[in-house]
Amino acid sequence: MSLKHALLGVLSMREMSGYDIKRHFDRAVHFVWNASDSQIYRELRQMERDELIVSRLIPQESKPNKRLYRLTESGTAELDDWLVSPVDASYSKEPFLLRMFFLDRTDEEDATELRRPVDTRFARSSR
């Protein structure tokens, strides 16, 4: 689990600027993952070098130019592969909850499989 996957998930919703991404983190994703502005922008640059995202510059008259980021096919594939990969339960942040946040990207079978460990644990504890 990494910041990369959280950013890919956020960008799977729509094309966004770095400011929009940070705002989305602060309003929704921060419950399961947090990141500073510098961490987000550093990771966005790396993801662009890795061709997981692309960006385009929007000229603005009275403000600095705006850079918009969007997923590439490789970025979408990376996100979708990560969503259905095994969860590392020893990780200190909440990868399971972040996956639940983006669960609508998976089909019903993958969603059921992803929830299975938690469903099993709850079933055992309610006996």
Side-chain angles (χ1 to χ4, degrees):
M1 171 65 185
S2 66
L3 176 57
K4 170 178 72 176
H5 295 109
L7 291 171
L8 289 171
V10 169
L11 286 171
S12 73
M13 297 174 187
R14 66 179 170 83
E15 182 179 55
M16 292 186 205
S17 67
Y19 174 82
D20 294 332
I21 293 167
K22 177 60 174 161
R23 193 171 62 196
H24 194 79
F25 259 75
D26 291 346
R27 291 183 178 168
V29 181
H30 80 277
F31 295 108
V32 294
W33 193 277
N34 59 6
S36 67
D37 291 358
S38 62
Q39 290 173 309
I40 288 172
Y41 284 103
R42 183 174 46 249
E43 190 65 33
L44 288 171
R45 285 190 300 275
Q46 183 60 50
M47 290 166 58
E48 193 162 19
R49 284 191 295 271
D50 294 342
E51 299 180 349
L52 298 172
I53 61 172
V54 292
S55 67
R56 63 187 177 104
L57 205 56
I58 306 295
Q60 300 187 110
E61 292 287 323
S62 59
K63 302 185 241 183
N65 294 336
K66 182 190 295 190
R67 183 169 300 277
L68 296 178
Y69 299 91
R70 67 176 173 78
L71 293 182
T72 62
E73 285 184 28
S74 296
T76 300
E78 171 72 23
L79 174 61
D80 292 343
D81 289 346
W82 171 77
L83 281 170
V84 297
S85 68
V87 175
D88 178 5
S90 66
Y91 204 81
S92 63
K93 294 202 179 188
E94 295 296 337
F96 178 78
L97 293 177
L98 187 60
R99 287 174 196 220
M100 292 296 102
F101 190 81
F102 298 118
L103 195 62
D104 65 328
R105 292 194 46 80
T106 64
D107 60 31
E108 189 173 334
E109 183 179 326
D110 286 337
T112 300
E113 190 59 34
L114 188 59
R115 289 190 316 263
R116 186 177 315 284
V118 172
D119 292 344
T120 302
R121 188 178 335 149
F122 284 127
R124 270 191 249 139
S125 67
S126 65
R127 290 182 194 162

